[in-house]
Amino acid sequence: MSSFRVAAVVTLRRSIADVQGTTVEQALHIIGFPRIEHVRIGKYIEMNVVAASAEEARAYVEEACRRLLANPVIEDYRVTEVEPVAELQVG
Amino acid sequence: MSSFRVAAVVTLRRSIADVQGTTVEQALHIIGFPRIEHVRIGKYIEMNVVAASAEEARAYVEEACRRLLANPVIEDYRVTEVEPVAELQVG
């Protein structure tokens, strides 16, 4: 078994109004960033996963997203990164 | 000028305790995901940026992170994605 650093992103579905994103967009315009539009805000979740392979680590986190990290009624999720963690050699 | 879809991630600095991440980790263990550890939670921000180039779009969002999206005392930020947005041809 190896250790992987996995990142997942949970975002509101396109059809759901993103009130937080709209608020941030207005604030950006006020402080001088008029060229930023269509802001949407989500959650970024990073974790270590012990698994036999990168594919298994990805599937494990996708299952965790379905079960806990995302609300599938209003949110989408995707795994954005699966990187092996360098392990210390002992002995 | 072109339009780019840019994504940025804002995370707590390593030295700051991530209480939300710890809580999620405990919940994952309880519902049957013991192989997930070191959970850290951040913000994911996606936006459209009008800029002359991908490099300019990235720099513009990095400036927005410094000015508004991240709290540099306790948070790190990085731009994770800069993709040109397909534009409709008119005429």
Side-chain angles (χ1 to χ4, degrees):
Chain A
M1 299 292 257
S2 309
S3 193
F4 297 87
R5 193 72 185 158
V6 183
V9 157
V10 176
T11 49
L12 283 173
R13 284 172 180 254
R14 291 281 150 219
S15 55
I16 308 283
D18 184 347
V19 178
Q20 199 187 357
T22 305
T23 306
V24 166
E25 185 174 323
Q26 288 166 350
L28 284 168
H29 292 176
I30 289 168
I31 67 166
F33 292 91
R35 283 153 55 194
I36 294 181
E37 284 189 317
H38 302 298
V39 176
R40 293 188 72 86
I41 295 187
K43 282 172 279 183
Y44 172 81
I45 306 144
E46 222 181 64
M47 65 211 97
N48 282 10
V49 180
V50 175
S53 67
E55 293 67 35
E56 194 185 293
R58 173 184 292 270
Y60 197 75
V61 171
E62 283 174 346
E63 178 66 16
C65 285
R66 268 192 293 279
R67 293 275 311 280
L68 181 78
L69 303 173
N71 174 351
V73 178
I74 56 165
E75 290 173 325
D76 289 319
Y77 59 84
R78 61 195 159 90
V79 172
T80 56
E81 221 180 289
V82 183
E83 293 291 335
V85 174
E87 285 178 67
L88 291 171
Q89 296 293 321
V90 178
Chain B
M1 299 291 256
S2 311
S3 192
F4 297 87
R5 193 72 186 158
V6 182
V9 158
V10 176
T11 48
L12 283 173
R13 282 172 182 255
R14 291 280 151 220
S15 55
I16 308 285
D18 183 347
V19 179
Q20 199 187 356
T22 304
T23 306
V24 166
E25 186 174 323
Q26 288 166 350
L28 284 168
H29 291 177
I30 289 168
I31 67 165
F33 293 91
R35 283 152 55 192
I36 294 180
E37 285 188 316
H38 303 299
V39 176
R40 292 187 73 86
I41 295 186
K43 281 172 282 185
Y44 173 82
I45 306 142
E46 223 181 65
M47 65 210 96
N48 282 11
V49 180
V50 175
S53 66
E55 292 65 37
E56 194 186 293
R58 173 185 292 271
Y60 196 74
V61 171
E62 283 174 346
E63 179 66 17
C65 284
R66 268 192 294 278
R67 293 275 311 281
L68 181 77
L69 303 173
N71 175 350
V73 177
I74 57 164
E75 290 174 325
D76 288 320
Y77 58 84
R78 61 196 159 89
V79 172
T80 57
E81 220 180 290
V82 184
E83 294 290 336
V85 174
E87 285 179 66
L88 291 172
Q89 296 292 322
V90 178

